[in-house]
Structure formats: C-alpha cells, structure tokens
C-alpha cells in the first residue's frame, strides 16, 4: 500500500511544509483564471496542471510526478447483453496492465496505444481500485490537503459502481466513497477531530442538496483571499460512525432518484458530489511561540496551541460523457440540451486549457468548475478514473473518454506508442487470479470478523443470562432457608419455654413426693412426655440438617455450572484466537504468493523482451554475420515474424525452435561473434524456461494451491508442450554446450545466461545427474568464485540449490566443492542471491535428514563440516522472508539428527530453534522445531544449561 501511495501521489508539497507554514499553502492556482493574480502569491510553486509546473519528477524528495492529475482507466466487464450481441466481436480495447498501457483497436490489424498512471482490467477488485485511485488522495486529505476523486465516462460504464456502491450484501463490492470514509474514521480521534459531509447534485446548473431536498438552489461562495470554496446553504452532517454515513449515502441516493423523477431526467445527466470535511487537531509546536514569548521557553511550553488541519475530500460522480442529442428530439428543448452538460463540457475545456498551457482557463463558465476550484491542482491531489466499456459498438465514445483522460494527464503524456508488447497468457491469468483472491480474501475476512463478533456477543449473552438465573436461584434458596430457619428457631424457643415451665412444676412436685401416690404417677407421665418431645425435636433437627445440606448441594451445583460456563467461554475465546491466527497465516501466505507472482511476472516480461530482442537481432544482425549456410535459416526466421506480428514473442521463440531446428541454434552457441553467442544462449535459456514453467505448473497443480488448483490445471493443460523443450535441448547436446560456455567464455553475460539455462534444466532429476556427470558442479563453483554481477550469482546459486535437492548427489556435490561455492556467494550480500543460497542449504539439509531417518547416514552433517552453521545462525532471523524461511527449514532439518545437536548448541543454533518453535509464522515449521526440541535429550540438556525455560 505504501508503494502505491508513493507512486500515485501528486502535488508538490512535502508534508512538513503544511505544519510549519500555516498560511494556507493550499491556495489553488491551477484553476485561477487570472494568471496575474497567481503571480502575486509568490510563495507558491506553479500550478499542478499547468505546463509551467516543474518538469516531471524534478521535485526533490517526492517519488511521484508532482502536481499532475493522476489518471486511471477502468474497463467494465461485458454485461449480459454484450455477451450475446458482441459474442462474435473482439473488445474494442486491450489492456496491458503490466506496462500500464491500453490499446484501442482501430481495425482488425491496427491499434493505438496509450499510457495511463494505472490500467485496471475488468477483473480489478474494488479494493484494488480504491487503493490505487483514492487511497493516496484520502491520505493527503488526512494530512490537511484538499483532494478530489472523479469518475468520467459514458453512462453504464461503471462510474457509480466504482464510486458509490454501498456493498452491504457483498462487502468486497464496497465503492470508493464507503472505503474512503472507513479509512478516515479509522484515523481520526473521536475527541479532538471532526468529520462532516455534504452531498450535492448538480443538474442544469442548479445545485440541489441531496441530504435535504427542500434546500433548493444552493449558491457557491469563493473566498477571494484564500480561494476556498464554500456552499453555505447546503446541509452539513457530522459523521460519528460508518453506519450513519452509509445511511446518509442511501438517503442521498433516494433523494437523487426522487429529484430526477421530478425533473423528468435520469441520474446519468446529473453530477453527484460528495464533500467530506476533515478537521484534525494536533499538539502545538514550541517553535511557533518561543519567538513571540522572548526567552521564556517555559511560558512557550504552557501556551502551546493546537494546530488545526483541515482537509476536504470531494468525490464526483460525473454525468455520462456521451453527447446528448442537441436536435431536441430526445425530449429536450435546444436550451435544455445545451445546459444539461454545460458543466461537463466546461470541465473538459478547463482541462484542455490547462494541458495546453493556455492563458485563459474558463473556470467561471460552469458551476462544476467553480465548485472544484479549490480541490484541483495547487497543493490538492486529484485522481481521475475514466471508465470504459468493452463493446466495439461504442468505440467512438470510448475513444473520446480515453482522449479526455489523456488530456488530463497533460499534453506531454499524450504519447501514441507504436511499439507492440506481447506477453504470455499466463501473466494475464495470474493477474486475474490475484484480483479474485484479493476480493475473495476481503470477503472472507469481513465474514470472519462478523462471525467472531456474533460468537462473542452470543457467549457474553449466555454468560450474563446464567449469572442472572444463578443469582435469582441463590437468593430464592437463601430466603427459603432463612424463613425455615427462623420458624424452627421460633418453635424451638416456644418448646423450650414450655419445657422450662413444666420442669419448674416437676421440682415442686418432687418436694411433695410422699404426699400422694397420684402425684408420683403424674410426675412419671410428664417425664415420658418430655422424652417424646425431645426425640421429636431431634428428628426435626435432623430434618433441618438434611435440608441445609440439600441447599448447600444446590449452591455447589450452581457454582460448578458457572465454572463450566466460564470454561466454555474461555474455550470459545481460544477458538477465536486460533481462527485469528489462521487468518493471519492466510494473509501471510497470500502476501508470499503475491510476491511470487510478481517475480514470475517480471521474469515473464524479461523473457518476452529478451525474446523480442533476439528475434530482432536475428532479423537485423545475424543475417549478415552468420556465414552462407545460415542464410536460408534466417529467411525462415524472418518469415513467421512478418506473418504474425501481433503474436511477437511466442511466435518468435516457438517458431524459431520449430522451424530453425534446435541443432542449428545450438551450433550458434559456438559462433565467433560474442553477440551471436549471447543471443543464442538467451534463446536456449528461454526454451529451457518453458520447461521450467511446466515444472512450476505441475508443482502448483499437484499442491492444493489455495484451493484454486483447478484453474492452474486448466492453465497447465492449455499451455504445455507435449515433449518439453528441456528434453529436446538435452537430447541435442545443449547441456554440454552450455557447460562448455561456462568453461571457455570470459564474458559475464554469457555466464549469467548459461547459468540461468542450467538452473532451469536442473529442475529435473535426470538433468541433475547429467549436470553432475559432466562436471557441472566444478564449473558452477568456478563461475561462483569469479562472478561479480549479483544476477549471475543468483543464477549460479539457483542451479546449485537445485542440485542440492537430489539425494543421490549429496557426496559428489560436496566433494566437488558445491557447498563451499554456495557459501562463498554470500559475499555479494544481494538478497536474491542469499535466498538461493539458503534454499540450497535447506535442500541439502533435507536430503541429509531423510538419509539419517532411513539409517543410511550416521555422521555429522556435511553442511556443519563445511562451516555453514555460523552463516545460517546469523541469518536465521533475516528480514527477507524467502531467506528466513529456507534457513528455518534448514535448521529444523539439521536438528533432526542427534549427532548434529552438540555443534548446533555451541554454534548458537539452539536459541534460533527455540525462537522458531515459538514465533515462526509457518505452523508446520513451528511444530517441527517444537517436536525436535522436546524429543532430543541433547537439546533438552542444552536448554536447561542455558536456562531456557521450555
Ligand atoms: P454509470 O454510473 O457509469 O452509468 P453504473 O455504475 O451504473 O454506470 O454501471 C452500469 C452497470 O454495470 C451496473 O449494473 C453495474 O453494476 C455494472 N458494472 C459497472 N462496472 C462494473 C464492474 N467493474 N464489474 C461488474 N459490474 C459492473
Ligand atoms: Mg451512474
């Protein structure tokens, strides 16, 4: 994201200039109709759009082109109607996103090529469109600049889709407005900052308020001093959260529809303008006040005023660019027809005038240009996305849209490139795949977040519910118990009182014992009664105790239920964190994949260019240079080129191969002329690379590659030659010739290309054995020792790394100095070379660990013997992930074998293993490291000695 932001940023002020120089640097100049005025404000550099702006790329410290409107073109996919109606016709445009170019077909055999800042194919995800078109603009709005994002194009080409989709059913479809607000809200502070929006519609030079339709004709007010534009009558709504913003957009959309129905027009005739005002407050700086407060820095500190930065983001969904029928037959009067698109044509005129450096920019001609005055050029960032459809029936409109975009990029950029670029369908498919993955990933992530939220709320609800029931039950139980307890106490007291009384009576009676025998019998009766009561009381007491026990049990049961619930909450939480981890891993995996795709694409491009170059050279040079017998061959080569210019690279390589004959190409490897030799090696390298892609395809197709292996298999089946070029090259003795070039040539280019071809050939096991048998490792080691160019070293290291993965060749490879050569190449320090070295070491270690598991190897690792350990320990946490990943694997493989453990501990590898087992982003490596550490007694002892708590 940072890179796209860097490249796609326009405007020529550094961020700091804004905070130190608070006197409105954002004063607009580009749309200032009076050039004299602009000269007066001398503190400012030239206009963003004028030709007088600094030449492209001259502003120091700014990676992008300064002050220029950035223009992206986006192609809408064919819709259902077009699929049927245009089924037999090719699209009127062809996009070349890698080189940011677009070809507009003139006829079957000719087309014009145009360059844009970004070319977005029909597969481009909404996320990517936002990131390349709007994100840099949003970022500068957050920094206090004004910024504009506009969509221009024929009705139905996707302007509203690009800008205004709410994406409520499918979050990956969210458009620029929604995404921009998400980013803004994520970045502002609720306490100190404020975000507010207005939403307007401009139709027939009347501005309506889409947030309050009763607000009629809204005026535009320009501050003559600052150039700021405001529209006092319009509603301004403060935004606190995303939900309320989406509601507002929906409301605006409904009002737009209603207003247009009332005016009897379509929304395609009006412009919709969303304005987002961001006001942010920052802590003040000492320097501003210390000069005013003399030498009292203390006072300055206490008086630091906050700095307020205001940025305005304007998103404009322009009216359809198609010409409207001026005859009035479309239901409009001539007057109406004139004014319907007045603003749009005025915008076009202003852009033309600015692009042509005209002295008069007709900014006052329309409301739209007046409204955009302060967000266009100067220190403002402007992005224009032009939308086009694929249908050849609308070629005229598409062409005029493209020309509008080209003019907006300034006249200098209106290059009509005549060169042809071709590139393999694989590249295109990978691109499509990538875009789909991005959209899919975003959708999944959003769904996942929602799921987490749902599970968490559910769990919380459950817990609070059971806590409540528990409390209620407990209270009920307590009250019951208390009541019963009080009652029994009362009863006992009563009984006790009665007993007391009786007992006192009994004593008197005893004193008069002998007075009457009647009395005696009476006394015995009462004792019996007492005994009975006592036993009754005892039973009651027992019952009471039982009741209490039951109550206690009930309480315990409820307590254990609560604990159970807490446990399940904890497990839900751990589930959530596991899922989160998985998501992170997925993201990481995706990133890696994207990186690999990028490398593949650049390799492809490189191959295409080299092939083109080779073909061209054959056309021009070889014809004269190569003696007689090759004349006819060259003629043959020229023939297919001429016939099939549209399919350049593929034709040149494949047909060259078919028609010229491999044997003859190989014979050119020994040509006297260095140039001829170099290009012959390149041809062979390219042929070998086709085999490489075959291997790659098979590799991807066999793995469950993001669950998309079907697609890759499809790619594979359509593009794979039946017998690989590699096999043909080897059969024809090409490998021998390539090795000989390494031995005999002094030219580093030849070394580089030959090593590249050998590296490609070394992907297959049969070739690996052949390379070794023909002394390849010595030659590669020799080249490794003498080469200086990192690309040569990368190729050599790649070739050796491939050989390292062959179980059968381990001893020989090491014996002929392969490991030492590999290690020697780290001197170059280039990350690509280091990654190949690490890969080779990991391959070698893997074979060794396999051999030791099978019991065929019992000695210490040859890698350790050859002194690899210090380098891998040093680089185990290298920040480049390809290097790190291979080294982590290598360490895990080495650690598998107990005989290596002692050296690894003394070499410091144990620390790294512990780190890997805890932090490695790949779960399989993490688990492997962990298992190894817990199983190995030597490592266990080592850890306790080093005080590592594991
Ligand atoms: P405009 O605003 O330029 O008139 P819309 O945005 O309304 O065009 O798009 C016209 C139709 O094409 C809509 O049905 C929209 O969903 C569809 N559409 C536009 N762009 C795309 C795209 N990139 N992918 C899929 N459908 C699209
Ligand atoms: Mg629209």
């Amino acid at each position: 994201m940072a890179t796209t932001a860097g490249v796609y940023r326009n405007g020529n002020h550094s961020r700091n200039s804004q905070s130190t120089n608070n006197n409105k640097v954002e004063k607009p100049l580009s749309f200032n109709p009076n050039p004299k005025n602009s000269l007066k404000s001398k503190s400012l550099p030239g206009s963003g759009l004028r030709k007088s702006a600094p030449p492209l790329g001259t502003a120091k410290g700014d990676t992008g082109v300064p002050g220029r409107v950035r223009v992206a073109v986006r192609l809408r996919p064919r819709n259902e109607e077009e699929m049927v109606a245009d089924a037999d016709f090719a699209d009127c445009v062809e996009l070349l996103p890698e080189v940011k170019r677009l070809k507009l077909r003139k006829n079957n055999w000719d087309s014009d090529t145009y360059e844009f800042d970004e070319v977005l194919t029909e597969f481009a995800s909404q996320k990517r469109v936002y990131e390349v078109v709007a994100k840099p603009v949003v970022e500068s709005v957050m920094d206090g600049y004004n910024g504009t994002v506009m969509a221009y194009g024929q009705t139905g080409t996707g302007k509203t889709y690009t800008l205004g989709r709410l994406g409520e059913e499918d979050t990956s479809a969210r458009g620029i407005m929604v995404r921009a607000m998400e980013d803004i809200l994520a970045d502002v502070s609720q306490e100190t900052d404020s975000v507010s929006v207005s939403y307007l519609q401009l139709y027939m030079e009347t501005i309506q308020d889409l947030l309050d339709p009763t607000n009629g004709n809204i005026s535009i007010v320009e501050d003559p001093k600052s150039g700021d534009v405001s529209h006092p009558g319009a509603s301004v709504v403060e935004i606190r959260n995303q939900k309320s913003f989406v509601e507002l957009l929906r409301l605006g959309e409904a009002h737009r529809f209603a207003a247009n129905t009332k005016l009897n027009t379509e929304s395609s005739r009006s412009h919709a303008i969303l304005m987002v005002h961001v006001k942010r407050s920052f802590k003040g700086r000492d320097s501003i006040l210390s000069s005013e407060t003399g030498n009292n820095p203390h006072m300055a500190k206490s008086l630091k005023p906050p700095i307020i930065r205001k940025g305005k983001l304007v998103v404009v969904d322009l009216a359809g660019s198609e010409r409207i029928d001026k005859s009035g037959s479309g239901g409009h009067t001539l007057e109406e027809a004139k004014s319907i698109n007045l603003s749009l044509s005025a915008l076009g005129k202003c852009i033309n005038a600015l692009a042509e450096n005209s002295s008069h920019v007709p900014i006052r001609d329309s409301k739209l240009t007046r409204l955009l005055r302060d967000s266009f050029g100067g220190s403002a960032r402007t992005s224009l996305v032009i939308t086009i459809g694929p249908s050849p029936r609308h070629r005229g409109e598409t062409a005029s849209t493209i020309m509008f975009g080209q003019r907006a990029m300034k006249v200098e950029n209106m290059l009509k490139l005549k060169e042809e670029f071709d590139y393999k369908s694989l590249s295109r498919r990978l691109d499509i795949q990538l875009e789909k993955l991005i959209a899919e990933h975003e959708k999944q992530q959003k769904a996942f977040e929602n799921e987490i939220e749902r599970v968490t709320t559910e769990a919380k609800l459950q817990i609070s519910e059971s806590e409540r029931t528990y409390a209620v039950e407990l209270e009920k139980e307590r009250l019951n118990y208390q009541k019963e307890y009080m009652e029994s106490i009362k009863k006992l007291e009563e009984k006790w009182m009665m007993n007391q009384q009786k007992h006192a009576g009994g004593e008197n009676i005893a004193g008069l014992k002998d007075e009457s025998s009647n009395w005696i019998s009476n006394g015995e009766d009462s004792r019996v009664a007492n005994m009975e009561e006592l036993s009754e009381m005892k039973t009651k007491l027992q019952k009471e105790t039982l009741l209490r026990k039951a109550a206690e049990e009930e309480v315990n049961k409820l307590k254990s239920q609560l604990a159970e619930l807490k446990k399940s909450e904890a497990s839900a939480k751990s589930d959530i964190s596991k899922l989160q981890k998985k998501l992170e891993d997925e993201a990481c995996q995706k990133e890696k994949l994207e990186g690999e795709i990028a490398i593949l694409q650049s390799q492809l491009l490189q191959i295409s260019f080299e092939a083109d170059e080779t073909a061209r050279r054959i056309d021009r040079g070889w014809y004269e240079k190569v003696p007689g017998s090759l004349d006819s061959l060259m003629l043959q080569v020229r023939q297919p080129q001429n016939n099939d210019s549209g399919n350049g690279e593929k034709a040149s390589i494949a047909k060259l191969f078919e028609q010229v004959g491999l044997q003859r190409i190989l014979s050119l490897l020994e040509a006297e002329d260095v140039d001829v030799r170099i290009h012959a090696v390149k041809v062979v390298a390219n042929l070998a690379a086709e085999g490489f892609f075959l291997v790659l395809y098979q590799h991807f197709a066999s793995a469950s590659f993001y669950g998309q292996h079907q697609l890759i298999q499809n790619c594979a089946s359509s593009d794979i030659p039946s017998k690989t070029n590699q096999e043909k090259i080897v059969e024809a003795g090409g490998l021998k010739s390539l090795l000989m070039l390494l031995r005999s040539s002094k030219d580093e280019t030849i070394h580089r290309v030959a090593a590249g071809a050998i590296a490609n050939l070394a992907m297959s096991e049969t070739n690996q054995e052949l390379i070794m048998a023909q002394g390849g490792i010595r030659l590669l080691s020799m080249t490794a020792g003498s080469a200086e160019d990192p690309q040569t070293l990368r190729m050599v290291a790649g070739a050796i790394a491939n050989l390292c993965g062959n179980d059968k060749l381990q001893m020989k490879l090491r014996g002929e100095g392969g490991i030492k050569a590999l290690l020697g190449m780290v001197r170059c320090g280039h990350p690509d070379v280091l990654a190949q070295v690490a890969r080779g070491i990991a391959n070698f270690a893997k074979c060794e660990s396999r051999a030791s598991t099978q019991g065929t190897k019992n000695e210490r690792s040859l890698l350790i013997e050859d002194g690899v350990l210090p380098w891998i320990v040093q680089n185990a946490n290298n920040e480049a992930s390809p290097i790190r990943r291979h080294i982590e694997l290598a360490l895990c493989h080495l650690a598998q074998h107990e005989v290596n453990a002692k050296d690894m501990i003394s070499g410091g590898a144990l620390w790294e293993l512990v780190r890997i087992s805890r932090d490695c982003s790949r779960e399989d490596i993490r688990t492997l490291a962990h298992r190894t550490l817990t199983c190995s007694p030597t490592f266990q002892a080592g850890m306790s000695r080093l005080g590592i708590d594991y």
Side-chain angles (χ1 to χ4, degrees):
M1 230 168 273
T3 51
T4 51
V7 175
Y8 212 70
R9 166 157 291 144
N10 53 13
N12 47 11
H13 288 280
S14 73
R15 289 171 181 219
N16 291 343
S17 67
Q18 180 74 16
S19 53
T20 48
N21 176 6
N22 228 5
N23 57 347
K24 276 284 164 205
V25 288
E26 66 269 32
K27 191 187 236 177
L29 286 177
S30 67
F31 260 27
N32 189 336
N34 184 350
K36 278 184 195 153
N37 282 351
S38 72
L39 282 177
K40 266 189 226 158
S41 53
K42 39 189 181 299
S43 66
L44 298 171
S47 116
L49 282 171
R50 285 248 168 94
K51 251 188 169 176
S52 59
L56 302 187
T58 52
K60 274 185 194 153
D62 197 334
T63 47
V65 180
R68 188 162 67 65
V69 173
R70 313 296 299 178
V71 185
V73 57
R74 184 182 198 186
L75 175 66
R76 167 175 62 64
R78 281 188 177 199
N79 57 30
E80 273 174 29
E81 188 222 321
E82 286 161 344
M83 296 231 208
V84 179
D86 301 337
D88 298 331
F89 303 96
D91 289 351
C92 66
V93 290
E94 188 189 337
L95 305 189
L96 312 172
E98 290 83 359
V99 284
K100 301 194 192 313
R101 279 166 201 177
L102 171 150
K103 279 188 191 170
L104 177 66
R105 219 180 284 285
K106 283 209 276 200
N107 47 44
N108 270 344
W109 60 90
D110 202 7
S111 56
D112 289 330
T113 305
Y114 300 94
E115 195 168 71
F116 286 94
D117 292 307
E118 202 62 55
V119 169
L120 300 159
T121 69
E122 65 267 47
F123 307 105
S125 57
Q126 291 279 80
K127 180 170 191 252
R128 195 165 121 73
V129 173
Y130 170 72
E131 276 165 6
V132 300
V133 174
K135 192 159 177 117
V137 180
V138 172
E139 279 171 356
S140 54
V141 168
M142 297 309 284
D143 285 347
Y145 296 95
N146 287 351
T148 309
V149 178
M150 289 191 291
Y152 178 97
Q154 192 188 350
T155 298
T157 50
K159 296 182 296 297
T160 308
Y161 183 91
T162 301
L163 299 177
R165 279 284 294 251
L166 301 182
E168 284 175 308
E169 334 69 58
D170 174 6
T171 46
S172 70
R174 285 166 299 152
I176 283 177
M177 291 178 178
V178 175
R179 287 172 194 263
M181 186 54 81
E182 275 173 2
D183 274 3
I184 290 172
L185 288 177
D187 228 26
V188 295
S189 139
Q190 292 281 358
E191 290 84 52
T192 54
D193 305 343
S194 80
V195 180
S196 56
V197 304
S198 305
Y199 199 12
L200 308 174
Q201 166 166 268
L202 175 57
Y203 176 67
M204 283 183 66
E205 294 307 281
T206 307
I207 302 178
Q208 295 150 325
D209 189 341
L210 286 177
L211 300 181
D212 179 4
T214 56
N215 258 354
N217 198 353
I218 289 167
S219 55
I220 303 172
V221 178
E222 290 146 72
D223 183 332
K225 262 199 233 143
S226 68
D228 284 353
V229 177
S230 58
H231 22 84
S235 327
V236 181
V237 178
E238 176 115 10
I239 302 293
R240 294 239 150 243
N241 55 47
Q242 188 66 18
K243 204 165 149 231
S244 64
F245 175 67
V246 173
E247 275 309 311
L248 220 62
L249 284 185
R250 210 201 317 270
L251 181 78
E253 222 171 283
H255 287 157
R256 192 177 185 200
F257 182 77
N260 291 326
T261 315
K262 208 163 126 199
L263 293 167
N264 199 15
T265 182
E266 315 153 44
S267 63
S268 64
R269 300 277 176 239
S270 67
H271 313 275
I273 303 146
L274 177 78
M275 302 196 159
V276 184
H277 301 269
V278 183
K279 192 167 136 195
R280 306 181 74 192
S281 163
F282 296 86
K283 281 203 176 132
R285 284 162 175 255
D286 294 349
S287 55
I288 300 172
L289 271 176
S290 54
S291 56
E292 289 167 19
T293 51
N295 290 332
N296 191 346
H298 187 73
M299 193 173 160
K301 221 171 213 170
S302 60
L303 281 174
K304 272 192 288 182
I307 292 173
I308 306 285
R309 281 189 196 165
K310 287 183 190 169
K312 179 167 73 170
L313 172 69
V314 184
V315 184
V316 193
D317 186 353
L318 289 167
S321 62
E322 61 279 2
R323 257 167 258 121
I324 46 168
D325 187 359
K326 298 230 166 124
S327 67
S329 59
H332 303 290
T333 63
L334 186 58
E335 267 323 293
E336 269 174 352
K338 260 199 238 161
S339 85
I340 281 177
N341 264 352
L342 185 105
S343 273
L344 199 61
S345 49
L347 178 68
K349 279 183 200 153
C350 285
I351 285 186
N352 283 355
L354 290 162
E356 285 159 19
N357 200 19
S358 157
S359 60
H360 174 66
V361 181
I363 190 168
R364 302 206 63 84
D365 280 8
S366 81
K367 293 233 164 125
L368 181 68
T369 44
R370 283 175 57 204
L371 207 66
L372 292 178
R373 181 194 175 117
D374 68 344
S375 25
F376 223 150
S379 66
R381 270 73 165 152
T382 303
S383 252
L384 171 69
V385 54
I386 59 167
T387 55
I388 55 174
S391 172
R393 284 172 295 154
H394 299 302
R395 199 192 162 281
E397 292 295 352
T398 304
S400 89
T401 302
I402 290 169
M403 294 323 287
F404 183 90
Q406 287 287 300
R407 277 192 293 272
M409 287 182 76
K410 290 214 319 180
V411 177
E412 288 96 318
N413 288 333
M414 225 167 91
L415 297 174
K416 268 195 176 185
L417 293 164
K418 278 290 172 200
E419 19 172 359
E420 291 288 334
F421 279 93
D422 207 337
Y423 55 112
K424 292 202 167 182
S425 57
L426 170 65
S427 162
R428 204 176 295 156
R429 286 180 197 167
L430 286 173
D431 224 17
I432 297 166
Q433 172 88 346
L434 186 62
E435 294 298 350
K436 277 192 186 147
L437 278 173
I438 290 174
E440 183 60 24
H441 176 73
E442 201 194 8
K443 207 160 41 179
Q444 276 176 5
Q445 196 168 1
K446 205 72 192 179
F448 178 70
E449 280 165 12
N450 292 346
E451 184 60 19
I452 285 181
E453 214 175 290
R454 197 187 60 74
V455 170
T456 317
T457 354
E458 224 167 60
K460 274 188 189 149
L461 252 151
Q462 250 179 22
I463 287 167
S464 67
E465 183 62 28
S466 35
E467 271 175 357
R468 223 179 6 254
T469 14
Y470 169 69
V472 170
E473 286 295 319
L474 201 67
E475 184 60 20
K476 241 199 288 183
E477 206 57 42
R478 198 181 61 80
L479 286 174
N480 267 348
Y481 181 69
Q482 206 173 24
K483 209 167 111 200
E484 276 172 27
Y485 183 73
M486 293 306 283
E487 272 168 14
S488 32
I489 295 271
K490 217 157 107 193
K491 270 187 202 156
L492 279 172
E493 271 176 0
E494 278 166 12
K495 291 252 167 80
W496 186 75
M497 291 285 279
M498 267 163 65
N499 272 348
Q500 280 291 72
Q501 281 167 7
K502 276 181 191 165
H503 196 63
E507 262 178 15
N508 290 340
I509 288 160
L512 301 168
K513 218 182 195 173
D514 40 11
E515 280 185 22
S516 163
S517 59
N518 262 355
W519 283 106
I520 292 168
S521 76
N522 271 353
E524 281 204 337
D525 278 356
S526 87
R527 240 195 13 239
V528 170
N530 269 350
M531 290 295 276
E532 271 170 12
E533 265 174 25
L534 205 64
S535 79
E536 204 181 306
M537 258 159 52
K538 259 189 191 162
T539 8
K540 273 197 179 156
L541 204 64
Q542 268 166 0
K543 227 162 91 192
E544 212 61 56
T545 321
L546 277 174
L547 263 172
R548 197 154 93 206
K549 262 194 191 144
E552 270 169 8
E553 258 164 35
E554 187 66 19
V555 169
N556 281 342
K557 215 164 86 192
L558 283 169
K559 266 188 189 161
S560 79
Q561 266 176 10
L562 186 72
E564 204 55 42
L565 270 171
K566 289 225 162 114
K567 226 193 282 170
S568 78
E569 187 201 359
S571 92
K573 271 189 186 151
S574 93
D575 274 357
I576 288 169
S577 74
K578 256 189 232 152
L579 282 170
Q580 258 165 350
K581 179 90 201 105
K582 215 162 130 191
L583 191 73
E584 272 166 26
D585 284 354
E586 288 249 332
C588 192
Q589 206 47 15
K590 196 191 102 208
E591 213 171 88
K592 269 183 222 150
L593 182 70
E594 280 174 10
E596 277 171 22
I597 287 175
I599 293 169
L600 278 178
Q601 281 179 341
S602 78
Q603 280 180 355
L604 269 172
L605 221 56
Q606 175 74 19
I607 289 168
S608 302
F609 277 118
E610 282 177 6
D612 267 352
E613 202 185 315
T614 312
R616 237 177 278 131
R617 270 178 188 275
I618 290 169
D619 244 1
R620 280 189 261 113
W622 295 11
Y623 188 52
E624 292 100 23
K625 284 175 184 162
V626 182
S629 68
L630 283 170
D631 286 6
S632 60
L633 179 146
M634 289 309 143
L635 275 173
Q636 276 176 308
V637 177
R638 287 153 69 100
Q639 208 59 37
Q641 275 262 314
N642 293 342
N643 288 347
D644 199 353
S645 63
N647 233 350
E649 181 264 334
K650 208 170 190 153
S652 57
I653 286 291
K655 291 204 174 156
L656 186 73
F657 184 38
E658 260 172 43
Q659 299 187 12
V660 175
L662 184 60
Q663 203 63 58
R664 287 159 120 184
I665 299 174
L666 291 178
S667 72
L668 293 178
L669 291 178
E670 289 155 42
E672 275 188 20
D673 187 302
V674 167
D675 266 3
V676 175
R677 255 190 349 248
I678 290 178
H679 288 287
V681 188
K682 282 186 182 174
V683 172
V684 176
N686 282 329
L687 288 169
E690 276 189 31
F692 160 71
F693 283 117
L694 172 71
V695 176
L696 190 78
Y697 276 134
Q698 284 166 345
H699 171 70
F700 279 162
S702 65
S704 173
F705 178 62
Y706 264 78
Q708 303 287 337
H709 51 285
Q710 193 53 47
L711 197 130
I712 292 172
Q713 268 169 349
N714 293 345
C715 296
S717 58
S718 60
D719 273 8
I720 298 168
S722 53
K723 187 171 192 179
T724 66
N725 291 336
Q726 292 201 347
E727 283 164 357
K728 292 182 196 164
I729 293 171
V730 174
E731 271 171 26
L735 177 59
K736 211 177 242 165
S737 311
L738 289 166
L739 288 170
M740 196 198 65
L741 282 176
L742 281 191
R743 181 183 301 129
S744 61
S745 175
K746 298 249 172 327
D747 186 297
E748 179 140 354
T749 310
I750 289 194
H751 284 171
R752 189 182 72 233
V753 185
I758 294 170
N760 287 337
L761 291 174
M763 299 282 291
S764 98
E765 207 176 309
T766 333
N767 291 345
Q768 286 165 359
E769 284 164 26
L770 285 173
I771 293 169
M772 292 294 285
Q774 294 176 21
I777 203 69
R778 271 195 206 291
L779 290 169
L780 286 167
S781 307
M782 212 171 69
T783 318
S786 63
E788 277 164 14
D789 174 18
Q791 289 314 316
T792 312
L793 289 169
R794 181 168 76 99
M795 298 296 177
V796 175
I800 299 182
N802 286 344
L803 297 173
C804 282
N806 190 320
D807 297 279
K808 291 182 229 156
L809 305 175
Q810 296 251 290
M811 293 304 286
K812 195 164 159 59
L813 184 125
R814 190 259 179 153
E816 297 189 5
I819 299 173
K820 289 240 157 83
L822 209 51
L823 201 58
M825 282 185 276
V826 305
R827 70 179 186 276
C828 131
H830 193 288
D832 288 351
V833 180
L834 300 190
Q836 292 301 335
V837 172
R839 185 167 71 85
I841 291 173
N843 276 348
F844 200 93
K846 186 172 164 192
C847 291
E848 279 193 332
S849 102
R850 218 168 11 219
S852 66
T853 327
Q854 289 162 359
T856 49
K857 179 176 167 53
N858 299 313
E859 311 80 35
R860 200 162 75 131
S861 162
L862 297 176
L863 291 169
I864 297 179
E865 298 274 340
D866 275 4
V868 166
L869 211 47
W871 183 73
I872 59 177
V873 169
Q874 208 179 348
N875 286 278
N877 205 5
N878 193 303
E879 57 191 26
S881 69
I883 303 175
R884 190 176 60 243
R885 200 178 59 220
H886 288 308
I887 293 187
E888 285 173 344
L889 265 174
L891 281 170
C892 288
H893 286 309
L894 285 175
Q896 296 299 303
H897 203 28
E898 194 72 10
V899 287
N900 295 331
K902 243 172 82 189
D903 291 285
M904 291 185 76
I905 296 172
S906 62
L910 181 54
W911 292 102
E912 294 305 330
L913 279 169
V914 172
R915 180 192 59 75
I916 294 166
S917 75
R918 285 175 180 157
D919 310 335
C920 179
S921 62
R922 268 184 52 179
E923 197 183 345
D924 51 344
I925 302 182
R926 222 170 41 233
T927 320
L928 186 63
H930 177 72
R931 219 182 29 229
T932 314
L933 286 177
T934 42
C935 292
S936 153
T938 320
F939 282 133
Q940 287 287 330
M943 283 191 288
S944 70
R945 208 170 45 247
L946 291 171
I948 301 173
D949 188 18
Y950 200 73

